[in-house]
Amino acid sequence: MGIKELLLDKDFTSSRISALIAIVILSSLSIISVIIPFVNKYIQEPLLDMGIFAVIELSIAGIWYYRRTVFPKGNPNKQNIVIAITTEDTSQKARIRKDFSEEIKKQLKKNRLDSSYDVIILHNHLSKLTKEKIELWSQSQKAGMPDSEDVISFNKITNKLNAKFFIFGDLIKRNTTDSTYCLSVEALILHAQTNLANGITMKKEFNDLWKKEITFLENDELVGFKSNAEDIFFTATYMLGLATFVDNQFELGANIWSTLQQHVEITANLSKFTEKIKKLHATSLFLQSRLHYFAGNFEDAVKWRKLFLSITPNEYDAHLNQAIEHVKLRNDPELALEHVEIAEKLAQNDQIWRYSKLYLYIKLGRIKDGLVILDAILSNKFPSDIDVVNQVIAYNINCLKDDSKHLQTNFIVGTLLYKKLDHPIPAYEKLESFISSTEDIEEWKPMRELAQTYLSEIDKIIKV
């Protein structure tokens, strides 16, 4: 590559001091031989000549320094996969830019993930700086110093890049009998804080998938760069999918797992991941349904649960989902109760149907039947009971928001807070509110009497 090509190469000019020296020499010659003689035709002033020389050279040095040390701004509408790989020369960097990163971009587009993710390639100096920043950040994290200068500095960089995933390392050419490229790469995925068990699981998944050292012959470099970029795309996308569980981005996760599922089905060496990715896809759909459920978006909750059931058919869960659909979207509690009763026969050890039946009995005015179910709920515990209680509480609170006449909310929420979650103080307020709002309504009398009993018990607990 000649001097002209080197100076026009962004990676070369932005990262090497030799490039600055070359540019300064060439620009000085241009100033002395062209610009100053032109100016002297009109004004002959040595100080002016020196000023022109200084302004141009300082501007060149300033622009070069900015491009060398300042990280580019990432697209704020996309999360970025940042490639920070140092190379020995510009031809290698061109391969990283044209073959390696372009193949990752191609895979993102092919798998319809380009609307969510993009690729940023850093020149050699910023790549080296990134590796150093990651190392210092990692040391601070391990030392339990989340507010250290190294962490703050790295966070500023990731925010500017809008980075989600870093691929960093070195590309070197080993001059053996057959010249061989050796790509040594590490990776870092950024996600919200998670508990130790989940963190260990993600790290293990990552270590099982990630190839830290990749080698291929120089005479096969085009295929080598592209095929390895495809492998790295799969690993990076898989890890991005896992990160969506930590970041509560379940809809994005469902999209990632859906596209990866199609990808592995047509890629022979990845077919072993098909079943696992199918399960992760189903989990994302289920959790997105729950997210809508807690937010009171029951139409969306039902839609996402149906998508979940299309992947993992479950007749019991399907009937409970249909019960929600009939009572909330079609205002047909009688038909909803029929679905719950079918679910009851399919339940085996699961007790979620009891909560649905309690709600529907009360809604249909079958208060005594409802209290029988309530007694069974309070007398038994089952796996994930607390999680279900929280769902029931969220459901009833959203019902009251939508309808101020949904008086049973305060009774159900107060009872569950007291009896299931052991929170007597907030329960007291709900139960007292229920008694106050139903004191002139005869049909609520059995529930009102039970609520009064609970209030008396709580009075003894808090010694009133």
Side-chain angles (χ1 to χ4, degrees):
M1 187 180 288
I3 187 68
K4 181 180 177 181
E5 289 79 9
L6 284 173
L7 294 177
L8 291 174
D9 187 279
K10 181 181 177 182
D11 293 312
F12 179 83
T13 57
S14 299
S15 61
R16 300 192 181 184
I17 295 174
S18 56
L20 175 63
I21 294 171
I23 294 170
V24 167
I25 292 171
L26 288 173
S27 61
S28 296
L29 291 173
S30 297
I31 294 168
I32 293 169
S33 61
V34 179
I35 297 175
I36 289 178
F38 176 78
V39 172
N40 286 341
K41 287 181 182 180
Y42 305 95
I43 304 172
Q44 291 191 354
E45 177 57 59
L47 288 176
L48 179 61
D49 295 343
M50 291 173 62
I52 291 171
F53 190 91
V55 167
I56 293 174
E57 295 301 347
L58 287 173
S59 297
I60 289 171
I63 293 169
W64 175 87
Y65 182 78
Y66 180 86
R67 289 178 61 182
R68 175 180 166 84
T69 59
V70 177
F71 285 85
K73 187 173 177 59
N75 186 338
N77 299 316
K78 295 182 182 181
Q79 294 180 314
N80 291 298
I81 299 171
V82 179
I83 298 176
I85 297 175
T86 58
T87 62
E88 296 172 312
D89 54 46
T90 53
S91 62
Q92 290 179 5
K93 199 68 178 183
R95 281 297 186 206
I96 293 292
R97 185 169 61 245
K98 293 177 182 176
D99 299 327
F100 188 77
S101 67
E102 286 302 319
E103 183 62 26
I104 293 177
K105 285 184 179 181
K106 177 183 171 184
Q107 291 294 333
L108 288 172
K109 187 172 183 180
K110 177 183 173 183
N111 290 282
R112 303 186 304 279
L113 293 172
D114 54 319
S115 61
S116 301
Y117 298 100
D118 202 357
V119 177
I120 292 177
I121 310 139
L122 302 180
H123 61 63
N124 267 7
H125 182 72
L126 288 182
S127 295
K128 183 180 178 182
L129 188 59
T130 297
K131 288 192 290 180
E132 292 171 356
K133 293 284 187 182
I134 289 174
E135 179 62 29
L136 292 170
W137 172 85
S138 178
Q139 290 175 5
S140 293
Q141 294 287 2
K142 289 176 182 176
M145 300 167 59
D147 299 321
S148 70
E149 284 297 322
D150 291 326
V151 172
I152 293 169
S153 175
F154 181 64
N155 288 342
K156 286 180 180 177
I157 293 171
T158 59
N159 289 336
K160 185 170 185 182
L161 292 167
N162 198 23
K164 188 65 180 176
F165 197 89
F166 283 92
I167 300 170
F168 59 99
D170 304 286
L171 175 65
I172 60 173
K173 186 165 72 173
R174 292 174 177 163
N175 294 312
T176 55
T177 305
D178 296 317
S179 292
T180 303
Y181 278 118
C182 179
L183 181 58
S184 176
V185 284
E186 298 279 355
L188 171 68
I189 186 167
L190 301 173
H191 53 74
Q193 287 188 339
T194 184
N195 61 46
L196 180 61
N198 287 338
I200 291 172
T201 300
M202 285 186 69
K203 188 173 182 179
K204 184 179 183 306
E205 293 262 12
F206 184 66
N207 289 336
D208 289 345
L209 287 170
W210 192 256
K211 293 181 180 178
K212 291 189 175 182
E213 286 213 6
I214 300 166
T215 58
F216 48 91
L217 295 174
E218 182 182 16
N219 58 18
D220 197 28
E221 60 181 319
L222 179 60
V223 175
F225 275 113
K226 288 190 173 182
S227 63
N228 283 291
E230 185 173 342
D231 287 341
I232 284 176
F233 158 78
F234 171 74
T235 304
T237 309
Y238 187 95
M239 294 309 299
L240 290 169
L242 291 181
T244 62
F245 290 118
V246 182
D247 296 338
N248 292 330
Q249 293 181 307
F250 307 123
E251 184 171 356
L252 176 58
N255 185 32
I256 289 174
W257 298 123
S258 176
T259 56
L260 271 189
Q261 190 173 334
Q262 295 171 39
H263 180 72
V264 299
E265 286 172 355
I266 61 172
T267 309
N269 64 320
L270 298 175
S271 59
K272 62 183 179 181
F273 293 100
T274 302
E275 197 58 35
K276 188 169 189 178
I277 288 173
K278 181 180 176 182
K279 290 178 181 177
L280 290 166
H281 183 202
T283 302
S284 289
L285 295 171
F286 176 80
L287 292 173
Q288 182 64 17
S289 171
R290 270 173 48 102
L291 202 64
H292 284 299
Y293 186 93
F294 274 98
N297 304 323
F298 299 112
E299 187 172 353
D300 288 328
V302 167
K303 180 187 75 174
W304 282 90
R305 188 62 62 92
K306 284 181 177 178
L307 290 172
F308 162 72
L309 291 168
S310 69
I311 295 178
T312 55
N314 182 314
E315 194 177 355
Y316 170 72
D317 199 19
H319 281 292
L320 291 178
N321 194 48
Q322 285 179 297
I324 295 171
E325 183 176 1
H326 284 298
V327 75
K328 286 301 297 180
L329 306 183
R330 301 180 185 178
N331 195 28
D332 191 347
E334 290 282 2
L335 187 54
L337 184 58
E338 288 181 22
H339 281 289
V340 172
E341 287 173 342
I342 295 171
E344 180 181 351
K345 295 174 184 176
L346 301 168
Q348 296 181 352
N349 294 325
D350 191 279
Q351 302 292 309
I352 295 175
W353 63 269
R354 291 188 189 275
Y355 290 93
S356 297
K357 204 167 190 180
L358 166 65
Y359 176 83
L360 291 169
Y361 273 157
I362 295 173
K363 189 170 182 66
L364 291 167
R366 296 170 59 177
I367 306 300
K368 291 183 179 179
D369 291 333
L371 293 182
V372 172
I373 291 291
L374 177 62
D375 184 62
I377 288 172
L378 300 181
S379 302
N380 293 280
K381 288 187 177 181
F382 62 95
S384 74
D385 195 18
I386 299 302
D387 183 58
V388 174
V389 167
N390 284 319
Q391 289 185 56
V392 173
I393 289 173
Y395 178 88
N396 278 276
I397 288 173
N398 281 304
C399 286
L400 184 58
K401 286 180 181 177
D402 293 338
D403 179 10
S404 60
K405 295 180 180 178
H406 198 271
L407 302 178
Q408 62 265 45
T409 286
N410 287 322
F411 175 80
I412 294 172
V413 171
T415 299
L416 294 179
L417 283 172
Y418 170 42
K419 290 292 187 177
K420 283 287 188 177
L421 301 183
D422 196 25
H423 295 324
I425 304 301
Y428 196 99
E429 181 184 342
K430 297 294 183 183
L431 293 168
E432 198 172 44
S433 179
F434 172 74
I435 292 171
S436 174
S437 61
T438 62
E439 59 184 353
D440 297 325
I441 307 174
E442 183 62 27
E443 64 179 298
W444 296 109
K445 185 178 179 182
M447 288 169 60
R448 195 163 54 246
E449 290 175 347
L450 185 56
Q452 189 60 64
T453 299
Y454 293 154
L455 288 180
S456 298
E457 291 175 5
I458 294 172
D459 282 338
K460 292 178 182 178
I461 293 170
I462 60 177
K463 302 187 187 306
V464 172

